[in-house]
Amino acid sequence: MRLLVVEDDPALSRQLADRLESAGYAVDIADNGEDGQFQGETEPYDAIVLDLGLPRVDGLSVLRAWRARGIATPVIILTARGAWTEKVQGIDAGADDYLAKPFSMEELLARIRALIRRSKGHASAEIACGGVVLDTRSGRVTVDGQPVDLTAHEYRVLAYLMHRTGQVVSRSELTEHIYAQDFDRDSNTIEVFIGRLRRKLGVDVIKTVRGLGYKVDPP
């Protein structure tokens, strides 16, 4: 899963990126509204963390511009403005959630997980397919109750496919959602990750749809 953090405080944005990356996400950062708006319009994110008090273009204007262009990426507003009127403005502008500073990092992570789950059509924190269970809260993967040790990129590939259960996902789409913008992307490595996952999971969970991509069937 890939996230965009639009935050002008360099210390906070780095702290957010480090914590989100440690939780298994690929993370891009923008430090002003103009760059954030452009990235949100041109890159495929699974969720966006957006500050309101941004230089160049304020966060509400950025959010309204995204929604006007039909960009439906889940957005959680993160801001020091805690008045209920400003929360209403944010929600009416198209935000999916709102968290006021100071905040708990664990609460932010929980809200991001919930936003992504709902946007992909999952109600539970656990996503299951056959004997494979992905616990989005802990980042833990088990097969028939036994834990499986995955690398960060293997986990991202499996998490994206399981969030998109029943849908065919192309190799290029996987590449766009498991790497940050500044990463040296190589779509050929997706085949390597898929091969490793199949060996580690020991079950036929990930199907190849010839000429199209990969698919995880519903349980």
Side-chain angles (χ1 to χ4, degrees):
M1 296 293 176
R2 185 177 172 198
L3 308 178
L4 172 64
V5 174
V6 190
E7 167 61 59
D8 64 324
D9 182 329
L12 178 57
S13 65
R14 189 65 261 167
Q15 180 186 5
L16 286 167
D18 289 344
R19 186 66 184 87
L20 292 168
E21 286 168 357
S22 70
Y25 297 103
V27 182
D28 293 332
I29 296 174
D31 62 5
N32 64 81
E34 184 179 335
D35 290 345
Q37 181 178 328
F38 177 76
Q39 287 176 240
E41 291 174 350
T42 57
E43 295 289 333
Y45 294 104
D46 296 293
I48 298 173
V49 178
L50 176 67
D51 187 25
L52 291 187
L54 296 168
R56 300 190 192 177
V57 183
D58 68 272
L60 278 180
S61 297
V62 170
L63 180 55
R64 291 187 181 112
W66 286 336
R67 297 314 189 217
R69 293 176 65 92
I71 295 169
T73 307
V75 173
I76 179 169
I77 288 178
L78 187 65
T79 180
R81 304 174 186 176
W84 69 266
T85 53
E86 292 171 324
K87 293 181 181 180
V88 170
Q89 287 180 331
I91 298 298
D92 284 345
D96 300 274
D97 203 351
Y98 199 113
L99 189 60
K101 303 174 184 175
F103 61 92
S104 160
M105 195 68 73
E106 293 307 315
E107 181 180 359
L108 175 62
L109 285 167
R111 289 173 181 265
I112 289 172
R113 291 194 297 268
L115 284 182
I116 293 175
R117 285 199 310 271
R118 289 197 297 267
S119 70
K120 307 299 184 185
H122 297 281
S124 172
E126 291 189 348
I127 304 174
C129 180
V132 178
V133 177
L134 172 73
D135 188 334
T136 62
R137 296 162 299 191
S138 63
R140 187 168 179 259
V141 176
T142 59
V143 177
D144 295 329
Q146 299 301 310
V148 178
D149 186 27
L150 302 179
T151 67
H153 285 108
E154 290 166 0
Y155 176 82
R156 289 176 191 168
V157 169
L158 181 63
Y160 191 76
L161 288 172
M162 292 191 71
H163 274 85
R164 297 284 304 276
T165 299
Q167 303 175 50
V168 177
V169 179
S170 69
R171 188 167 61 180
S172 61
E173 182 179 346
L174 275 171
T175 301
E176 289 177 334
H177 284 267
I178 70 165
Y179 294 123
Q181 191 174 38
D182 59 357
F183 198 90
D184 185 15
R185 304 176 186 178
D186 181 1
S187 62
N188 292 324
T189 59
I190 296 297
E191 293 180 358
V192 175
F193 295 143
I194 294 292
R196 290 177 183 171
L197 284 168
R198 284 172 170 160
R199 288 193 296 273
K200 289 184 177 183
L201 299 177
V203 288
D204 188 20
V205 173
I206 303 174
K207 308 284 197 308
T208 297
V209 181
R210 191 172 298 277
L212 296 175
Y214 304 99
K215 179 182 178 183
V216 171
D217 288 328

